[in-house]
Structures are given as structure tokens and as C-alpha cells.
Amino acid sequence: MVWDERVAALFRRNLQPTLTYWSVFFSFGLCIAFLGPTLLDLRCQTQSSLSQITWVFFSQQFCLLLGSCLGGVFKRTLSQSLVALFASSLAISVVFAIIPLCHNVVVLAVVMAMAGLAMGCIDTISNMQLVKIYQKDSAIFLQALHFFVGFGALLSPLIADPFLSDTNCILSNSTLNATSNLPHIRKSLVPHHPGNLSYYELPMKGMVVTRVSYAFWIMALINLPVPIAVFFLLYKERLVPCFNNGRRPLLSADELAMETQPAEKDNHSGALQRAPPDRGHDDLLSCCQSKNFRGAPYSYFAVHVAGALVLFMSDGIIGEYSGFVYSYAVEEPLSVVHKVAGYLPSLFWGFITLGRLISIPVSYRMKPATMVSINVVGVLVTFLLLLIFSYSVVFLFVGTACLGLFLSSTFPSMLAYTEDILQYKGCATTVLVTGAAIGEMVLQLLVGSVSEKKRKNPGYSWWDGLAAPLCTVS
């Protein structure tokens, strides 16, 4: 991939902050994917029921949404942003370290809520800072940013896998029935919907035998260089209090304008020139203040709403599909063997990560608007084919891979496109990140309720739930 000299010079000048933001997003990915595989061992550790332990999912998701909404509060100065990122990435290492010490499910839920807040702040601030630095050239760097979250999400289950219990981790007289079903139960657990597993009786009292603590301590050590990297960036920018000998931004306003502004103005954004000259990128509450909307054209609101809806659907589909595709595969009419069906979520996340890696060079040659269009059409066509070939196990695997590819670059492409249209004013990053977080939580709850209806009413179609997002759009 050959960059033009201007983009290459901009990247070299901002090499340390860019690598730091990428590493922080790796920390985000590491934290987002570990809970599902380890939840049964955490249930043993806290000696709780399935319905109780799945509330830990909800506490993390809800606080991730809250952190995404409030993350813009810390954008006002570079110092606030970096201090928030340092505290958030350090909090994730601390959470990994203290999870093995949580022997009560309520305490564990509180700890995971702290992790969710940290993850939400990281999500909003990292996207904001990269957009601020690169502006019209931000698409390629946002693609790389989201590759790192995929890489972290792929790595954490691999770290946890050797330490997961092969047999029931609470030894009692009632362990025999559930022990052989543990792999199935582990892959079927999804946020706050254990109803389809209620007929499995797992013991809550007895001797706890689990080695999952080692997995969390390993992840805490792997994540530890991330807050150190943020601290070094704070030190370089002279933002550490005891070394604060004058503050300087990553780029002055004049330097940034010289390196990022094109020679001619964009014609397509003329309708948005009258958008209010607000500071932009505030937290969601500040964005919703009426003073920010005075004199704004309808297109200003439409861009925010359309971007948020696209990411509501795309991130929501990622959450609900990865959480429920295993349960869909093992039930009728496909009735896939449990072990084979267990590869579906890994295949899905693997192709999301691969797609984000491929999108890094592609985004340099292709406009974000084109990439968003391809992604949306690809997702719709893939879902349509999955519905048509709903009795084909082979196409379920093919469709899962295609869906991962098309969903992979939707978020960074939509963010780059929206910010470009708005000329980096308004509240695009905050609104889009919040919309994505809402979608991820709401669609999982929606599909979970559908799965519960299917369990009680066998005539109810599973695809009524998996295809529910598409019905909402239409």
C-alpha cells in the first residue's frame, strides 16, 4: 500500500498517539469477549445460579452504554482525554486482577459494571481523538483501530480456554447430570437469557474446583502495558502534573489545517455549512442541549440519526448473531452437533477480524460512503440468503463468514463518512457510539425474548428472532 507523502508525514508525526489509541482499543476488545466463555466457572466461583450469573452480562452492557454516553465529557482538553484513557485502561487491568477474588455474584456484577464504564469511555474517546488528529484522512486509521478491538476479542477466549473446567466445577452429589452438558451450556449462555437452559440443574453448593483465576491474571498482565503506554503519552505531552512545564497539543491548529485540509472545498457538504459552530464531540447530554440546534438545517439532524440507526443495527446484529447462532444451529431443523456448532461464533468473529484487517488498505482507495453502501447491501443480501437456505448447514457456515466480513468495517466507515459530512462539527462520534451500544444491548434482549417464546411454543420460528433487525428496518 503506497500512501501519499502528506498522509505518511501526518502518520509519522502522530505515530505515538496513534499507536497508543490502537493499543487502548485492544484493551477494549480483550475485555469485551472474555465473559461468555468463563461465565460457568465464575458461576462456580460465586456459587450462584445461571439466572443470577447472567445479570453480570447485563451490568457490563448497561454500564458500557452509560460510559459511551458520558465519554465525551473528557474530550474538552487533551489532558482530560488521556487521563480518562489512562484510568480506564488501568481499571481494566485491575478488574482482571480482582475478578478471581469476587466470591459473591453482586460484587462480581459491580466489578463488571466498572469494566463496562471503562470500556464505554475508551470506545468514545479513542474514536474522537483519531478523528480529531486525521479528520478527512481518518478512515484508514479508524479501520485499524477497530481491527485491534477484533484482535483483542479473538485473543481473550483463547487465553481462557486452557483454564476452563471440563467437568462441573462445584463437586456435589448432583453433578453427574450436568457435567456432560457443560460445553453445550457454555456456548448457549447469552446475556440475561438463561431460560432455554433452565432444565439443567447445576449445583450451587459444594467444593469449588476451578483454575479460571489464572486466565484473568494472565489477561491483567497482557493488558498492563496499555496504561503504561498512555502514561508515556501523557509524559511526552507534558501533561503529568509533576512534569508540567507548559502544555502543547498533538498538533497546533495551523499545522492540522495545513496537513488535513484539501485544496478545494467539498461541494456535497454545502447544505451543512450552516450547522451551529459548537465545540462538537461533547457527551450525549451536552449534545442534546437546545443551544446546539439553533439554526441547524434538517440535514444536520438527519445525518446524526441515520448514522446512529445504521450502527444501532450493525452492532446490534453483531451482538445478537454471535450470541445466538450456536443455539439456532443445535436446534431443529438443522440439529447440528454441539461440537460442530461451537465453531460458528469463532468463525463469525474470525471473519470480522479478517474483514477489519482487509479494510485497512481498502479504505485508503475507497471512499467511506462506498464502503458503507457495500456493507449494508451485503448484510441484507446475506440475511436474505440465510432465510432462503435456512435448512442448509453448509450455507449457515458460509453465510456466517460473509456476514462477519460485511459487518466488520461498518462502524469505522460510517463514523468517518458522518464526520466528513458534518465537517467535524456536531456530536457525530458520541451519537454514533451511543447508538451502537444501545443496539448491542437492545437487540440481544429482543432476540433473547424470541428464543424464550420458541422454547415455550415450538411452532415459533427461530429466524423470527435472528431476522428481527431486518424486519425493524423495513
Side-chain angles (χ1 to χ4, degrees):
M1 180 181 65
V2 181
W3 291 2
D4 63 63
E5 186 57 33
R6 179 180 56 82
V7 178
L10 187 59
F11 177 61
R12 287 194 298 268
R13 166 168 250 155
N14 295 282
L15 180 62
Q16 184 178 352
T18 301
L19 293 178
T20 301
Y21 297 137
W22 287 350
S23 69
V24 171
F25 237 55
F26 167 79
S27 178
F28 176 87
L30 200 65
C31 196
I32 202 171
F34 78 88
L35 195 54
T38 61
L39 204 63
L40 283 182
D41 289 81
L42 292 175
R43 186 201 72 82
C44 296
Q45 179 181 297
T46 57
Q47 296 189 324
S48 55
S49 65
L50 282 175
S51 59
Q52 290 172 334
I53 196 65
T54 49
W55 276 102
V56 176
F57 267 123
F58 180 79
S59 67
Q60 183 194 45
Q61 289 286 336
F62 179 76
C63 288
L64 192 157
L65 170 61
L66 189 61
S68 299
C69 296
L70 301 178
V73 171
F74 304 104
K75 72 93 205 178
R76 290 183 174 87
T77 66
L78 179 62
S79 175
Q80 290 180 356
S81 296
L82 292 181
V83 168
L85 286 181
F86 173 75
S88 297
S89 56
L90 183 61
I92 288 177
S93 278
V94 171
V95 164
F96 281 138
I98 65 175
I99 282 176
L101 308 178
C102 300
H103 297 287
N104 182 282
V105 69
V106 176
V107 175
L108 181 62
V110 171
V111 170
M112 290 311 303
M114 293 172 52
L117 285 172
M119 292 160 63
C121 289
I122 287 173
D123 196 7
T124 302
I125 295 173
S126 297
N127 282 291
M128 282 182 180
Q129 291 301 320
L130 276 185
V131 169
K132 279 185 178 180
I133 293 174
Y134 294 104
Q135 295 201 2
K136 289 186 177 297
D137 301 304
S138 62
I140 184 172
F141 302 101
L142 288 173
Q143 297 288 353
L145 181 74
H146 286 264
F147 163 76
F148 278 97
V149 71
F151 178 64
L154 203 60
L155 183 62
S156 58
L158 297 177
I159 296 172
D161 186 68
F163 303 100
L164 300 178
S165 301
D166 294 324
T167 60
N168 202 300
C169 43
I170 296 182
L171 301 181
S172 72
N173 294 331
S174 59
T175 60
L176 295 178
N177 178 46
T179 296
S180 60
N181 295 308
L182 277 182
H184 171 65
I185 297 173
R186 194 184 303 280
K187 292 181 176 68
S188 298
L189 276 173
V190 290
H192 197 47
H193 278 284
N196 57 336
L197 302 172
S198 58
Y199 46 85
Y200 292 111
E201 293 184 4
L202 296 178
M204 296 174 57
K205 301 296 180 182
M207 181 183 297
V208 177
V209 182
T210 177
R211 298 184 302 143
V212 76
S213 300
Y214 297 108
F216 291 116
W217 289 330
I218 291 172
M219 284 188 276
L221 289 175
I222 290 175
N223 187 70
L224 195 56
V226 176
I228 295 174
V230 180
F231 180 82
F232 277 127
L233 184 57
L234 277 164
Y235 176 78
K236 178 191 174 185
E237 298 303 319
R238 300 177 184 177
L239 299 175
V240 181
C242 52
F243 299 102
N244 188 8
N245 297 321
R247 300 183 178 183
R248 66 178 183 84
L250 293 175
L251 285 176
S252 67
D254 293 337
E255 290 173 327
L256 189 60
M258 290 174 60
E259 294 202 36
T260 60
Q261 294 300 324
E264 62 277 348
K265 294 183 179 179
D266 292 323
N267 294 326
H268 72 275
S269 59
L272 299 170
Q273 293 285 351
R274 295 178 290 114
D278 61 286
R279 294 173 298 174
H281 300 109
D282 284 328
D283 61 285
L284 191 64
L285 296 178
S286 299
C287 287
C288 293
Q289 292 179 2
S290 59
K291 65 180 181 181
N292 294 329
F293 302 142
R294 292 170 187 163
Y298 289 116
S299 56
Y300 177 79
F301 302 98
V303 169
H304 282 87
V305 173
L309 284 176
V310 169
L311 295 189
F312 174 92
M313 300 308 304
S314 64
D315 272 42
I317 291 172
I318 290 176
E320 58 98 358
Y321 194 90
S322 62
F324 289 93
V325 67
Y326 170 85
S327 298
Y328 167 72
V330 298
E331 294 183 11
E332 294 181 356
L334 295 176
S335 301
V336 180
V337 178
H338 294 329
K339 188 173 183 180
V340 176
Y343 291 114
L344 282 167
S346 299
L347 179 70
F348 183 63
W349 277 107
F351 271 83
I352 285 178
T353 305
L354 177 63
R356 287 171 176 171
L357 182 62
I358 295 172
S359 298
I360 295 173
V362 170
S363 63
Y364 185 71
R365 298 295 181 186
M366 189 177 293
K367 292 182 179 180
T370 305
M371 295 187 68
V372 171
S373 301
I374 293 173
N375 289 334
V376 172
V377 172
V379 169
L380 291 173
V381 171
T382 302
F383 261 118
L384 180 62
L385 292 175
L386 281 169
L387 286 168
I388 294 173
F389 299 102
S390 58
Y391 290 88
S392 171
V393 175
V394 173
F395 195 81
L396 177 62
F397 278 83
V398 174
T400 297
C402 292
L403 196 61
L405 277 177
F406 286 121
L407 287 169
S408 61
S409 60
T410 305
F411 191 114
S413 299
M414 192 71 215
L415 179 58
Y417 178 51
T418 306
E419 287 284 12
D420 190 22
I421 292 177
L422 294 172
Q423 295 186 313
Y424 310 95
K425 300 176 182 179
C427 303
T429 301
T430 302
V431 173
L432 266 61
V433 170
T434 303
I438 294 174
E440 190 171 351
M441 185 171 70
V442 170
L443 291 190
Q444 288 189 41
L445 292 173
L446 173 64
V447 177
S449 63
V450 171
S451 70
E452 185 69 8
K453 287 181 180 179
K454 174 174 170 54
R455 185 179 69 87
K456 296 177 179 178
N457 180 14
Y460 197 83
S461 172
W462 240 104
W463 275 107
D464 290 341
L466 285 177
L470 301 180
C471 298
T472 304
V473 172
S474 61

